[in-house]
Amino acid sequence: MTDSPIQKLKDKSRKITNIQEASEILHWDQEVMMPEKGVEARQQQLSTLSGLSHQILVSDELKQILEKINPSKLDEGGKSSYREVKREHDRSSSIDQELIEEISSKSSQTLDKWKKARKEGKFEIVQEDLEELIELKREYANQINSEEEPYKVLFKDYEPYIEFENMQEVMEALRDELTDLFKKIKESGIRPENCFEKEASEERQLELNEDILDDLGYDWSRGRLDTSEHPFTVGNQHDARITTRFNTDDISKSILPTIHEFGHALYELGLPKEYYGLPAGSSRDLSIHESQSRLWENHVARSKEFWNHFTPKLQEIEAFENISVEQAWKSINRVKEENLIRVEADEVSYHLHIYLRYSLERKLINGEIEVEELPEKWDDKTEELFGLSPENDVEGVLQDIHWYQGSIGYFTTYSLGSVLSAQIYNALEDDIENLDEKINNGEFTELREWLKENIHSKGSLYKTEDLVKQATGENLNPDHFLDYIEDKYRNIYNL
Amino acid sequence: MTDSPIQKLKDKSRKITNIQEASEILHWDQEVMMPEKGVEARQQQLSTLSGLSHQILVSDELKQILEKINPSKLDEGGKSSYREVKREHDRSSSIDQELIEEISSKSSQTLDKWKKARKEGKFEIVQEDLEELIELKREYANQINSEEEPYKVLFKDYEPYIEFENMQEVMEALRDELTDLFKKIKESGIRPENCFEKEASEERQLELNEDILDDLGYDWSRGRLDTSEHPFTVGNQHDARITTRFNTDDISKSILPTIHEFGHALYELGLPKEYYGLPAGSSRDLSIHESQSRLWENHVARSKEFWNHFTPKLQEIEAFENISVEQAWKSINRVKEENLIRVEADEVSYHLHIYLRYSLERKLINGEIEVEELPEKWDDKTEELFGLSPENDVEGVLQDIHWYQGSIGYFTTYSLGSVLSAQIYNALEDDIENLDEKINNGEFTELREWLKENIHSKGSLYKTEDLVKQATGENLNPDHFLDYIEDKYRNIYNL
């Protein structure tokens, strides 16, 4: 008996997933375990694997399988397999193999130059490579769809199922409201101290982070906690691993990343096991993933209720024995009015950082500004949005890796993640009785279960906007985030 | 410009290697790092990767590339690439895809049953599955070459370039000489005590093992040391990792595995970097690999000179502060006359264990004995070779994993490894001035360099027997091993 076309399609999907999951473990190993000189062979292994999954995706064999399928006759799982595999097949097939290789090689060159440029604080070092990379990305967008705004095409790489216009509206609403809020906070004259800047050993921090993960309900039989330069999560429903880092000067800088990554891992672990390898068993795109990490980081771990529960545990560390809930809560939420670094930003200014990058990268890829103008434009925008100016390019245009590795159109997914996390949290607060009190008591079971039922277990069965609508009853809507943020900050800063 | 056929062949070789190296890291991760419930997805990933490398190996594309190559016109590196890839292509292409899948699935079933059978001490539990697996392996040998003795065909899976007749002669020489030596040792009445049976914490053992690896010259920038249930090595010239285990009852049980695995890792690390992915940059087969681990384990770490150097370090651990060189050396070499377990055997009885397995598996696969007779035949052979009888099947036919995972013809490579290590050590003793004294002083540089120059750096440029001849000036010859072993044991047991 031969397999039906949809079975064959699912087989291909599983193969592609298995190759990608293998690559993820190789990446994890590279960041966490690999001896330093392993990098050269590892790059070759990863490049072979990515070539193989690409080959399956653009193969004539897959094309013919897709042509034989009538999606209207499929069940829900079949439909999602067809939709996602076809989308990726169509997109990948429209790009010349040569261009893919050029982008890959130019990206890694540009990345190397960026590292050098950051070290020496000179944008000029990377400028020419970045120009060539942007040119290649324009051509990439052009090959996919020459009729559409290039930036819009690139955005779809990260968010195929969020309307570009919705994203725009969200970004503009955030800019308008948060510029204003940020200004008011600065003018309030209130400056909560940071009570987390006290020494704790790495061993003690590790213990604390493990306690937190126990508390939140991390399944250690399907995960592990390690350290790496930048915290990240890899995995799937069978094995989702977290990394964090320890900061002996400020313990919140290891607590928050751990909880953030927990949110990512919990999403992966909540995907249906029986659909491993298929879209129905795979996470939705970046914004939804980020909504899960930020829900735990911001809505849980930055709430007063969480600190009611957690402060006594922190007090067990000698340096923190006199910390109060109020101090901790204000510290973790304080606005850093002089900060120019995105990854260290608070919840208010964070989205101004994103807006800055979004507005510049959009003009850049659409040809409205040139690479050489970037440092100046960056500084202008910083002045406009924050009323501050960077001291140098390391604090400015060189601070983030994204552009220099060819990721254009990625940044907005961070803000969309925050917006979605607030929208989802708002919906689940309606469903879970006395959630605040449960968090006060360190009871997270119902929260985890709601997320699993309404988000995690759906995998990629539905398009992003449909998933959001099913879970929250409405379309992508920035109001919940803006209400949440204004409410919190009005309270802290007496606005 | 299109690539020449040999360039295309090398490209395929690099792809296959990269997939296999990726699989090796996934295996390592599974044994050392993976959370327990990751196993299901990991199996799928590994099976996808092994399917992909098999597909490349048996592809028409590769067949056509091979047909276009005239090997007489190639340089040495090209010749080895052609020879090794063609051999693997021919062999793999001769087997039905269906049979490969049947063997893979039956092996993993049999393995599960074996675990159960061991636990309950009942061979009957696994008997039927083993019968079916043996039948499938017979068919496998038949598809590759129906004219040849099945056992000979299977042996070539592990040792394509060692003459079957040479292996036979070696095994018979070992049986004859060592049965006799073992008997004399038993009759000598001398029983050195085991001075290693003293408590040392795992932390202290780890420290000691790291010290040993520093001492021997392990390159930590291309390696790491971890623990796993069974010690093993994975890797290549860029990244070769060791695992060991700690035994708090007997410290020699962690020292020796570490040094054994160091020998494997040093081989990988000595392969030429510029040929990564090609036969010229890949290790030769199992016997040569084992010769490298056993050279360090037996000829170095079981020598009096090594203990002259190392005993003071061991004395730094409180429990061992009164140990003498003589005690340590005799302990590490003592014959365990009542031992029935291969992996715990000394250098004398070890090869009797191998001979037992070799003689049974050969008859088994050739159809001269039946699976159901195995336990009885095992016990008879044990009586014949050791003058002992197993108390149960766990001490007998169920003790090793090999047959139950379909590895028939593998065991003799262990003995060949020992024989080769003695032959190689004999050759390098002629070249390195005052080697004994250097080991007394913990100087291993020249030893490492000799091995790199004469074995490691050759990769698979030459066939095994040619490599051996170039390095030692003669063909595979068991006399060096027998001289070494008789010399050592005559000394210890006053024979």
Side-chain angles (χ1 to χ4, degrees), chain A residues 206-253:
Chain A
L206 172 61
E207 211 180 302
L208 186 73
N209 278 291
E210 286 172 345
D211 273 359
I212 291 174
L213 291 173
D214 277 343
D215 228 23
L216 298 180
Y218 185 51
D219 180 354
W220 294 100
S221 73
R222 295 185 288 152
R224 46 181 293 142
L225 175 67
D226 296 276
T227 58
S228 62
E229 200 183 330
H230 302 285
F232 67 102
T233 299
V234 297
N236 52 61
Q237 48 271 65
H238 297 284
D239 174 0
R241 306 171 184 192
I242 294 170
T243 76
T244 190
R245 62 181 158 214
F246 300 124
N247 189 309
T248 46
D249 300 331
D250 182 341
I251 200 163
S252 71
K253 287 185 180 172

Coordinates of all heavy atoms in Angstrom, one line a residue, chain A residues 206-253:
Chain A
L206 N 22.3 30.2 41.1 CA 21.8 29.0 40.4 C 20.7 28.3 41.2 O 19.6 28.0 40.6 CB 23.0 28.0 40.1 CG 22.6 26.6 39.6 CD1 21.9 26.7 38.2 CD2 23.8 25.7 39.5
E207 N 21.0 28.2 42.5 CA 20.0 27.5 43.4 C 18.7 28.3 43.3 O 17.6 27.7 43.2 CB 20.6 27.6 44.8 CG 20.2 26.5 45.7 CD 20.9 26.7 47.1 OE1 22.1 26.8 47.1 OE2 20.2 26.9 48.1
L208 N 18.8 29.6 43.4 CA 17.6 30.5 43.4 C 16.8 30.3 42.1 O 15.6 30.1 42.1 CB 18.0 31.9 43.6 CG 16.8 32.9 43.7 CD1 16.1 32.7 45.1 CD2 17.3 34.3 43.6
N209 N 17.5 30.3 41.0 CA 16.9 30.1 39.7 C 16.2 28.8 39.5 O 15.1 28.6 38.9 CB 17.9 30.3 38.5 CG 18.1 31.8 38.2 OD1 17.2 32.5 37.7 ND2 19.2 32.4 38.6
E210 N 16.9 27.7 40.1 CA 16.2 26.4 40.0 C 15.0 26.4 40.9 O 14.0 25.8 40.5 CB 17.2 25.4 40.5 CG 18.3 25.1 39.5 CD 19.4 24.2 40.0 OE1 19.5 24.0 41.3 OE2 20.2 23.6 39.2
D211 N 15.0 27.1 42.0 CA 13.9 27.2 42.9 C 12.7 27.9 42.2 O 11.5 27.4 42.2 CB 14.2 28.0 44.1 CG 14.8 27.2 45.2 OD1 14.9 26.0 45.1 OD2 15.1 27.8 46.3
I212 N 13.0 28.9 41.5 CA 12.0 29.7 40.7 C 11.4 28.8 39.7 O 10.1 28.7 39.6 CB 12.6 30.9 40.0 CG1 13.0 31.9 41.1 CG2 11.6 31.5 39.0 CD1 13.8 33.1 40.5
L213 N 12.2 28.0 39.0 CA 11.7 27.1 37.9 C 10.8 26.0 38.5 O 9.8 25.6 38.0 CB 12.8 26.6 37.1 CG 13.5 27.6 36.2 CD1 14.7 27.0 35.5 CD2 12.5 28.2 35.1
D214 N 11.2 25.5 39.7 CA 10.4 24.5 40.4 C 9.0 25.1 40.7 O 8.0 24.5 40.5 CB 11.0 24.2 41.7 CG 12.1 23.1 41.6 OD1 12.2 22.4 40.6 OD2 13.0 23.0 42.6
D215 N 9.1 26.3 41.2 CA 7.9 27.0 41.6 C 6.9 27.3 40.5 O 5.7 27.1 40.6 CB 8.5 28.4 42.1 CG 7.9 28.8 43.4 OD1 7.5 27.9 44.2 OD2 7.9 30.0 43.7
L216 N 7.5 27.7 39.4 CA 6.6 28.0 38.2 C 6.1 26.8 37.6 O 5.1 26.8 36.9 CB 7.4 28.9 37.2 CG 7.9 30.2 37.7 CD1 8.6 30.9 36.5 CD2 6.8 31.1 38.2
G217 N 6.8 25.7 37.8 CA 6.3 24.4 37.3 C 7.0 23.9 36.1 O 6.4 23.3 35.2
Y218 N 8.3 24.1 36.0 CA 9.1 23.7 34.9 C 9.3 22.1 35.0 O 9.6 21.6 36.1 CB 10.5 24.4 34.9 CG 11.4 24.1 33.8 CD1 11.0 24.2 32.4 CD2 12.7 23.7 34.0 CE1 11.8 23.9 31.4 CE2 13.6 23.5 32.9 CZ 13.2 23.6 31.6 OH 14.0 23.3 30.6
D219 N 9.1 21.4 33.9 CA 9.2 20.0 33.9 C 10.6 19.5 33.7 O 11.1 19.5 32.5 CB 8.2 19.4 32.9 CG 8.3 17.9 32.8 OD1 9.1 17.3 33.5 OD2 7.5 17.3 32.1
W220 N 11.4 19.3 34.7 CA 12.8 18.9 34.6 C 13.0 17.6 33.8 O 14.1 17.4 33.3 CB 13.5 18.8 36.0 CG 13.5 20.1 36.7 CD1 12.7 20.5 37.7 CD2 14.4 21.2 36.5 NE1 13.0 21.8 38.1 CE2 14.1 22.3 37.4 CE3 15.5 21.4 35.6 CZ2 14.8 23.5 37.5 CZ3 16.2 22.6 35.7 CH2 15.8 23.6 36.6
S221 N 12.0 16.8 33.8 CA 12.2 15.5 33.0 C 12.2 15.8 31.5 O 12.5 14.9 30.7 CB 11.1 14.5 33.4 OG 9.9 14.8 32.8
R222 N 11.8 17.0 31.1 CA 11.9 17.4 29.7 C 12.7 18.7 29.5 O 12.5 19.4 28.5 CB 10.5 17.5 29.2 CG 9.7 16.2 29.1 CD 8.3 16.4 28.5 NE 7.4 17.2 29.3 CZ 6.4 17.9 28.8 NH1 6.2 18.0 27.5 NH2 5.6 18.6 29.6
G223 N 13.5 19.0 30.4 CA 14.3 20.2 30.3 C 15.5 20.3 31.1 O 15.8 19.4 32.0
R224 N 16.3 21.4 31.0 CA 17.4 21.6 31.8 C 17.8 23.1 31.8 O 17.3 23.8 30.9 CB 18.6 20.8 31.5 CG 19.0 20.7 30.0 CD 20.2 19.8 29.7 NE 21.3 20.4 30.3 CZ 22.3 19.7 30.9 NH1 22.3 18.4 31.0 NH2 23.4 20.4 31.4
L225 N 18.5 23.5 32.8 CA 19.0 24.9 32.9 C 20.5 25.0 32.9 O 21.2 24.3 33.6 CB 18.5 25.5 34.3 CG 18.9 26.9 34.6 CD1 18.3 27.9 33.7 CD2 18.6 27.3 36.1
D226 N 21.0 25.8 31.9 CA 22.4 26.0 31.8 C 22.7 27.5 31.7 O 21.8 28.3 31.7 CB 23.0 25.2 30.6 CG 22.8 23.7 30.7 OD1 23.7 23.1 31.4 OD2 21.8 23.2 30.2
T227 N 24.0 27.8 31.6 CA 24.3 29.2 31.4 C 24.9 29.4 30.0 O 25.5 28.5 29.4 CB 25.3 29.7 32.4 OG1 26.5 28.9 32.4 CG2 24.7 29.7 33.8
S228 N 24.7 30.6 29.4 CA 25.3 31.0 28.2 C 25.4 32.5 28.1 O 24.8 33.2 29.0 CB 24.5 30.5 27.0 OG 23.2 31.1 27.0
E229 N 26.2 33.0 27.2 CA 26.4 34.5 27.1 C 25.0 35.2 27.0 O 24.8 36.2 27.8 CB 27.3 34.9 26.0 CG 27.9 36.2 26.2 CD 28.8 36.6 25.0 OE1 29.4 35.7 24.3 OE2 28.9 37.8 24.7
H230 N 24.2 34.8 26.1 CA 22.9 35.3 26.0 C 21.8 34.2 26.3 O 21.9 33.2 25.7 CB 22.6 35.9 24.5 CG 23.6 36.9 24.1 ND1 23.6 38.2 24.6 CD2 24.7 36.8 23.3 CE1 24.6 38.8 24.1 NE2 25.3 38.1 23.3
P231 N 20.9 34.5 27.2 CA 19.9 33.5 27.5 C 19.1 33.1 26.3 O 18.8 34.0 25.5 CB 19.1 34.2 28.6 CG 20.0 35.2 29.2 CD 20.8 35.7 28.0
F232 N 18.8 31.8 26.2 CA 17.9 31.4 25.1 C 17.2 30.1 25.4 O 17.6 29.4 26.4 CB 18.7 31.3 23.8 CG 19.7 30.2 23.7 CD1 19.4 29.0 23.0 CD2 20.9 30.4 24.3 CE1 20.4 28.0 23.0 CE2 21.9 29.4 24.3 CZ 21.6 28.2 23.6
T233 N 16.3 29.7 24.6 CA 15.6 28.4 24.8 C 15.6 27.7 23.5 O 15.5 28.3 22.4 CB 14.1 28.7 25.1 OG1 14.0 29.4 26.3 CG2 13.3 27.4 25.3
V234 N 15.9 26.4 23.5 CA 15.7 25.5 22.3 C 14.8 24.3 22.7 O 14.8 23.9 23.8 CB 17.0 25.0 21.7 CG1 17.9 26.1 21.3 CG2 17.7 24.0 22.7
G235 N 14.2 23.8 21.7 CA 13.5 22.5 21.9 C 12.2 22.4 21.4 O 11.7 23.1 20.5
N236 N 11.5 21.4 21.9 CA 10.2 21.0 21.4 C 9.4 20.4 22.6 O 9.9 20.5 23.8 CB 10.4 20.0 20.3 CG 11.3 18.8 20.7 OD1 11.0 18.1 21.7 ND2 12.4 18.7 20.1
Q237 N 8.3 19.7 22.3 CA 7.5 19.2 23.4 C 8.1 18.0 24.2 O 7.6 17.7 25.2 CB 6.1 18.7 22.8 CG 6.1 17.8 21.6 CD 6.1 18.6 20.3 OE1 7.0 19.3 20.0 NE2 5.1 18.5 19.5
H238 N 9.2 17.5 23.7 CA 9.9 16.4 24.4 C 11.1 16.8 25.2 O 11.6 16.1 26.0 CB 10.3 15.3 23.4 CG 9.1 14.7 22.7 ND1 8.3 13.7 23.3 CD2 8.6 14.8 21.4 CE1 7.4 13.4 22.4 NE2 7.6 14.0 21.3
D239 N 11.6 18.0 24.8 CA 12.9 18.4 25.4 C 13.1 19.9 25.1 O 13.5 20.3 24.0 CB 14.0 17.6 24.7 CG 15.4 18.0 25.1 OD1 15.6 18.9 25.9 OD2 16.4 17.3 24.6
A240 N 12.7 20.8 26.1 CA 12.9 22.2 25.9 C 13.8 22.8 27.0 O 13.4 22.8 28.1 CB 11.5 22.9 25.9
R241 N 14.9 23.2 26.5 CA 16.0 23.6 27.5 C 16.1 25.2 27.6 O 16.0 25.8 26.6 CB 17.3 23.1 27.0 CG 17.3 21.6 26.8 CD 18.5 21.1 26.1 NE 18.4 19.7 25.8 CZ 19.4 18.9 25.4 NH1 20.6 19.4 25.2 NH2 19.2 17.6 25.2
I242 N 16.5 25.6 28.8 CA 16.6 27.0 29.1 C 18.1 27.3 29.3 O 18.8 26.5 30.0 CB 15.8 27.3 30.3 CG1 14.3 27.2 30.1 CG2 16.1 28.8 30.8 CD1 13.5 27.3 31.4
T243 N 18.5 28.5 28.9 CA 19.8 29.0 29.5 C 19.5 30.3 30.1 O 18.6 31.0 29.8 CB 20.9 29.1 28.4 OG1 20.7 30.3 27.7 CG2 21.0 27.9 27.5
T244 N 20.4 30.7 31.1 CA 20.3 32.0 31.7 C 21.7 32.4 31.9 O 22.7 31.8 31.4 CB 19.5 31.9 33.0 OG1 19.3 33.3 33.5 CG2 20.3 31.2 34.1
R245 N 21.9 33.6 32.6 CA 23.3 34.0 32.9 C 23.2 34.5 34.4 O 22.1 34.9 34.9 CB 23.8 35.1 32.0 CG 22.9 36.3 32.1 CD 23.4 37.4 31.1 NE 22.2 38.3 30.8 CZ 22.0 38.9 29.7 NH1 22.8 38.8 28.7 NH2 21.0 39.7 29.5
F246 N 24.4 34.5 35.0 CA 24.4 35.0 36.4 C 25.1 36.4 36.4 O 26.0 36.6 35.7 CB 25.1 34.0 37.3 CG 24.4 32.7 37.3 CD1 25.1 31.6 37.0 CD2 23.1 32.6 37.6 CE1 24.4 30.3 37.0 CE2 22.4 31.4 37.6 CZ 23.1 30.3 37.3
N247 N 24.5 37.3 37.1 CA 25.1 38.6 37.2 C 25.3 38.9 38.7 O 24.3 39.0 39.5 CB 24.1 39.6 36.6 CG 24.7 41.0 36.5 OD1 25.3 41.5 37.5 ND2 24.6 41.5 35.3
T248 N 26.5 38.9 39.1 CA 26.8 39.0 40.6 C 26.6 40.4 41.1 O 26.6 40.6 42.3 CB 28.2 38.5 40.9 OG1 29.1 39.1 40.0 CG2 28.3 37.0 40.8
D249 N 26.4 41.4 40.2 CA 26.1 42.8 40.6 C 24.6 43.1 40.7 O 24.2 44.0 41.4 CB 26.6 43.8 39.6 CG 28.1 43.6 39.4 OD1 28.8 43.2 40.4 OD2 28.6 43.8 38.3
D250 N 23.8 42.3 40.0 CA 22.4 42.6 40.0 C 21.6 41.3 39.8 O 21.5 40.8 38.7 CB 22.1 43.6 38.9 CG 20.6 44.1 38.9 OD1 19.8 43.3 39.5 OD2 20.3 45.1 38.3
I251 N 21.0 40.8 40.9 CA 20.4 39.5 40.8 C 19.2 39.4 39.9 O 18.8 38.4 39.3 CB 20.1 38.9 42.2 CG1 20.0 37.4 42.2 CG2 18.9 39.6 42.8 CD1 20.1 36.8 43.6
S252 N 18.5 40.6 39.7 CA 17.3 40.6 38.8 C 17.7 40.3 37.4 O 16.9 39.8 36.6 CB 16.6 41.9 38.9 OG 17.3 43.0 38.3
K253 N 19.0 40.5 37.1 CA 19.4 40.3 35.7 C 19.6 38.8 35.4 O 19.9 38.4 34.3 CB 20.7 41.0 35.4 CG 20.5 42.5 35.2 CD 21.7 43.3 34.8 CE 21.4 44.8 34.6 NZ 22.6 45.5 34.4

